[in-house]
């Protein structure tokens, strides 16, 4: 088993979760965190830290977000060097995006894309 970050995290990235993980299982993407399922020890500490209730045990992930189980596995490998184990400022519009549903299309997988977007704006 492992814990899974789901859709409410997208474009919020509050990061309170990462600060409490005893095994540094969180990996950081541009606008989402993923949990490495091979490192998570199912301690449950991160769940109550998330202001938008984005984290679930993999056997309790809501049906509409079941693909996030595979997504956390894949993105935590992709972002394998981007370990995050302390809280930092949430994304600038986190409060607004916390209210938004169906954010999957906004998930950014590439840090390079983010840099390119910043450079061009
Ligand atoms: Fe880390 Fe525990 Fe959350 Fe797993 S359940 S990601 S070990 S804080
Ligand atoms: Fe995301 Fe919640 Fe953590 S918004 S970064 S899962 S505290």
């Amino acid at each position: 088993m492992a814990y899974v970050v789901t859709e409410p995290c997208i474009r919020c990235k509050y990061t309170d979760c990462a600060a409490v993980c005893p095994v540094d299982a969180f990996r950081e993407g541009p606008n989402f965190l993923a949990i490495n399922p091979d490192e998570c020890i199912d301690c449950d500490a991160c769940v109550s830290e998330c202001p938008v209730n984005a984290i679930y045990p993999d056997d309790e992930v809501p049906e509409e977000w079941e693909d996030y189980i595979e997504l956390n596995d894949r993105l935590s490998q992709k972002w394998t060097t981007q370990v995050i184990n302390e809280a930092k400022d949430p994304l600038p519009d986190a409060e607004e995006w916390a209210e938004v549903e169906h954010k999957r299309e906004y998930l950014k997988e590439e840090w390079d894309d983010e840099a390119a977007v910043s450079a061009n704006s």
Side-chain angles (χ1 to χ4, degrees):
M1 215 179 92
Y3 280 56
V4 176
V5 183
T6 63
E7 187 158 304
C9 181
I10 295 172
R11 285 201 154 185
C12 291
K13 205 168 80 166
Y14 282 102
T15 72
D16 306 78
C17 55
V20 301
C21 181
V23 293
D24 297 352
F26 284 88
R27 298 295 184 279
E28 183 178 13
N31 64 5
F32 183 73
L33 294 195
I35 294 170
N36 182 328
D38 298 326
E39 296 179 9
C40 175
I41 57 169
D42 306 330
C43 75
D44 201 57
C46 53
V47 171
S48 59
E49 295 296 315
C50 178
V52 291
N53 300 316
I55 307 175
Y56 296 85
D58 60 9
D59 59 355
E60 292 178 22
V61 172
E63 195 176 343
E64 62 179 321
W65 297 329
E66 277 183 350
D67 61 317
Y68 283 79
I69 298 171
E70 184 276 333
L71 192 67
N72 275 243
D73 190 9
R74 183 170 65 78
L75 291 179
S76 65
Q77 306 297 330
K78 185 181 182 79
W79 300 331
T80 191
T81 60
Q82 306 285 341
V83 175
I84 175 166
N85 55 17
E86 56 188 13
K88 55 198 245 185
D89 288 343
L91 293 175
D93 299 326
E95 281 188 36
E96 286 158 45
W97 284 100
E99 308 294 324
V100 178
E101 295 184 351
H102 308 302
K103 299 188 282 184
R104 179 72 171 82
E105 65 182 293
Y106 300 109
L107 174 64
K108 286 196 167 86
E109 297 195 10
E110 307 292 340
W111 276 103
D112 290 343
D113 289 354
E114 182 78 355
V117 167
S118 300
N120 291 332
S121 62

